[in-house]
């Protein structure tokens, strides 16, 4: 192990785009779903980010913000497109800019991971079977060439709008089984045109998005990409694909490459095994310490790229974070701990604590990922209302409230939020389910 100075987490990081992170701790993205009925940011987001901006992390990545209105993961996900209220985004950016931290908007398109109560016929690279999770997801419709190209425009438009609102950067979400990750994976991308087949073709959409975002925002704006080190599914995106795409993204000059893994069917990102994870990966996951889920996989590309690597997933102790730094990780991503202690990063940096003990959500294994998504989302909503996190919240009541709220909000989210905003491309969308039932 290389000897490092004791302040390895406190060192600033100069970015290729000219900015500077105050230290090596980043708040990883957590979907807040705190949009209003038109999917614009509410003042609850201002309250939440004002708190996190004082919490010590050098970088805050927002929860995902959707670039294509019909493809949201939850009814009240925030959307950034031509119909958005840019004043609300500017207000959010200025709340998040307090303190020495900078905030980047994470941009996403959910593709086949859009639930059917948000969109009855979501677009995806190919018409592969629906995501298996009760009856939550519909079989996706394969995108036309024009629809793929419209995705590039949508990311570029949203990035430029985020810049105009005052955010310091954006992160493109190409992990966790959402649209860009679906294109990367040979399991969900069965296309035979220039967007599918070889890894060069499967990564074409991500690379075009990165280039379009750079062109729209100029060279002096933070740009990150979140990517899976592996999907942990048979026939999915694997470690070799990851190495290839990491090298390509490094050449594109992005500022930060955030490494995660898994998707809805294999929720390894949250430390849960997918049922279909190849036995060798599951065994590796089991024997690995609970910290740094993807450290081994990230380390494998360290020698291949110069881009700063951010590692997210399971980081809980200062020793674990320092170890990751010693092994070539530049930025440590922390998500769930900051939903129970928004000052955790500051306390680590000040050496007031050595780590955090996370609450144990006592539910059957199959419900583990839903319990995590629900319980932590409700903590964010509490902080948005100016309350403290509630560590004693029951996982069962959190799941019921989360699912119930989504179904209710699917009915009460305005029709404007269900229609795509056309920016000139020919877009072919099936009518969303709530519109069908309303007529
Ligand atoms: C409630 C919740 C919402 C999340 N939303 C997002 C998201 O919008 N975008 C994203 O890239 N990851 C999202 N994640 C995953 C986290 O960024 C992170 O990868 C994961 O929680 C592992 O990090 P941790 O062990 O520090 O929590 C979410 C996680 C949780 C618990």
């Amino acid at each position: 192990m290389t000897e490092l100075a004791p302040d390895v987490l406190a060192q600033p990081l100069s970015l290729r785009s000219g900015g500077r992170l105050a230290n090596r701790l980043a708040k990883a993205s957590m979907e807040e779903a705190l949009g209003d009925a038109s999917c614009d940011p509410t003042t609850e987001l201002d309250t939440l980010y004002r708190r996190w901006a004082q919490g010590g992390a050098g970088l805050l990545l927002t929860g995902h913000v959707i670039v294509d209105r019909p493809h949201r993961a939850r009814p009240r996900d925030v959307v950034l497109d031509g119909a958005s209220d840019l004043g609300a985004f500017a207000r959010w950016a200025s709340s998040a800019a307090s303190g020495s931290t900078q905030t980047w908007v994470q941009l996403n398109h959910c593709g086949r991971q859009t639930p059917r109560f948000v969109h009855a016929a979501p677009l995806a690279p190919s018409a592969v079977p629906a995501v298996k999770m009760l009856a939550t997801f519909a079989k996706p419709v394969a995108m036309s060439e024009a629809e793929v190209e419209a995705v590039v425009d949508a990311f570029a438009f949203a990035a430029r709008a985020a810049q105009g609102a005052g955010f310091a950067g954006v992160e493109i979400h190409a992990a966790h089984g959402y649209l860009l990750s679906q294109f990367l994976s040979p399991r969900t991308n069965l296309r035979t045109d220039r967007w599918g087949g070889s890894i060069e073709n499967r990564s074409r959409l991500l690379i075009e998005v990165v280039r379009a975002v750079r062109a729209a925002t100029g060279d002096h704006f933070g740009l990150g990409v979140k990517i899976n080190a592996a999907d942990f599914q048979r026939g999915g995106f694997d470690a070799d694909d990851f190495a290839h795409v990491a090298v390509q993204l490094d050449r594109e000059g992005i500022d930060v490459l955030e490494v995660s893994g898994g998707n809805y069917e294999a929720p390894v990102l949250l430390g849960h095994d997918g049922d279909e994870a190849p036995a060798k990966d599951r065994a590796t996951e089991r024997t690995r310490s609970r910290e740094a889920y993807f450290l081994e996989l990230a380390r494998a590309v360290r020698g291949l790229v110069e881009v700063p690597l951010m590692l997210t997933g399971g980081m809980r102790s200062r020793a674990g974070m320092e170890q990751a730094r010693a092994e070539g990780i530049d930025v440590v991503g922390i998500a769930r701990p900051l939903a129970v202690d928004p000052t955790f990063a500051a306390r680590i940096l000040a050496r007031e604590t050595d780590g955090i003990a996370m609450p144990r959500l006592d539910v059957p294994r199959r419900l583990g990922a839903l319990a995590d998504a629900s319980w932590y989302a409700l903590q964010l909503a509490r902080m948005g209302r100016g309350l403290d996190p509630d560590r004693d919240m029951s996982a069962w009541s959190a799941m019921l409230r989360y699912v119930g709220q989504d179904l209710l909000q699917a009915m009460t989210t305005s029709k404007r939020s269900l229609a795509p905003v056309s920016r000139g491309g020919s877009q072919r969308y099936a009518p969303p389910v709530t519109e069908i039932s309303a007529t």
Side-chain angles (χ1 to χ4, degrees), residues 54-391:
Q54 303 299 334
L59 174 64
L60 302 180
L61 294 162
T62 70
H64 74 180
V65 165
I66 304 299
V67 302
D68 185 61
R69 208 159 265 273
H71 291 95
R72 311 189 300 285
R74 299 186 65 195
R76 295 289 169 91
D77 274 349
V78 173
V79 173
L80 185 46
D81 65 10
S84 297
D85 173 0
L86 296 183
F89 279 88
R91 198 191 58 214
W92 182 16
S94 81
S95 311
S98 40
S100 63
T101 193
Q102 55 171 288
T103 302
W104 296 4
V105 177
Q106 188 189 60
L107 300 177
N108 196 19
H109 180 307
C110 297
R112 75 190 272 267
Q113 288 188 166
T114 305
R116 67 165 79 234
F117 55 80
V118 174
H119 195 344
L123 295 179
S126 306
V128 293
V131 175
K132 283 194 217 84
M133 206 178 276
L134 299 173
T136 311
F137 299 91
K139 185 177 165 70
V141 175
M143 286 177 151
S144 68
E145 275 261 346
E147 283 161 344
V148 178
E149 277 157 14
V151 169
V152 178
D153 292 347
F155 273 96
F157 180 93
R160 177 72 193 93
Q163 184 180 35
F167 288 98
V170 290
E171 181 184 63
I172 310 298
H173 197 349
H176 302 170
Y178 293 108
L179 185 80
L180 297 177
S181 159
Q182 289 159 32
F183 268 87
L184 290 172
S185 166
R187 194 177 149 114
T188 45
N189 181 349
L190 311 179
R191 299 179 75 97
T192 52
D193 59 9
R194 66 195 178 106
W195 307 103
S198 64
I199 184 62
E200 284 77 15
N201 282 356
R202 282 182 275 127
S203 58
R204 189 181 306 280
L205 179 57
L206 170 59
I207 299 300
E208 292 214 358
V209 164
V210 165
R211 288 182 183 161
V213 165
R214 249 301 160 245
T217 59
D219 291 339
H220 305 294
F221 187 60
L223 175 53
V225 172
K226 186 167 186 173
I227 192 175
N228 279 356
D231 286 348
F232 296 91
Q233 283 182 301
R234 256 178 231 104
F237 184 82
D238 63 15
D240 291 341
D241 290 334
F242 167 50
H244 183 101
V245 180
V247 168
Q248 276 183 297
L249 290 168
D250 190 26
R251 283 196 202 119
E252 293 299 321
I254 64 167
D255 286 304
V256 177
L257 181 61
E258 182 183 356
V259 180
S260 185
N263 53 41
Y264 283 13
E265 289 157 326
V268 187
L269 56 136
L270 295 169
H272 303 287
D273 269 341
D275 289 338
E276 291 192 53
K280 69 171 175 41
D281 289 340
R282 297 186 69 174
T284 315
E285 283 303 314
R286 269 198 302 273
T287 52
R288 192 170 295 163
S289 76
R290 279 186 57 80
E291 282 211 75
Y293 307 150
F294 307 108
L295 179 57
E296 279 170 40
L297 291 164
R299 231 178 19 197
V301 302
R302 180 63 292 176
L304 305 176
V305 295
E306 284 177 11
V307 61
L309 293 176
M310 169 171 161
L311 182 70
T312 300
M315 308 304 303
R316 302 290 179 265
S317 72
R318 177 139 37 77
M321 296 174 194
E322 288 177 351
Q323 180 68 27
R325 288 280 292 114
E327 298 194 26
I329 299 302
D330 299 281
V331 179
V332 173
I334 308 170
R336 286 166 291 180
L338 301 183
V340 287
D341 178 3
T343 65
F344 178 56
R347 297 199 307 114
I348 283 280
L349 292 169
R351 299 186 162 260
E352 282 172 23
T353 184
D354 289 332
I356 186 166
M358 297 299 285
R360 196 177 130 67
L361 304 184
D362 208 2
V363 296
R365 191 180 79 86
R366 285 188 156 274
L367 291 175
L370 176 63
D372 272 315
S374 311
W375 195 89
Y376 288 98
L378 290 177
Q379 304 295 355
L380 306 188
R382 282 180 66 83
M383 285 196 276
R385 296 197 300 277
L387 302 172
D388 285 328
D390 171 13
R391 284 182 74 110

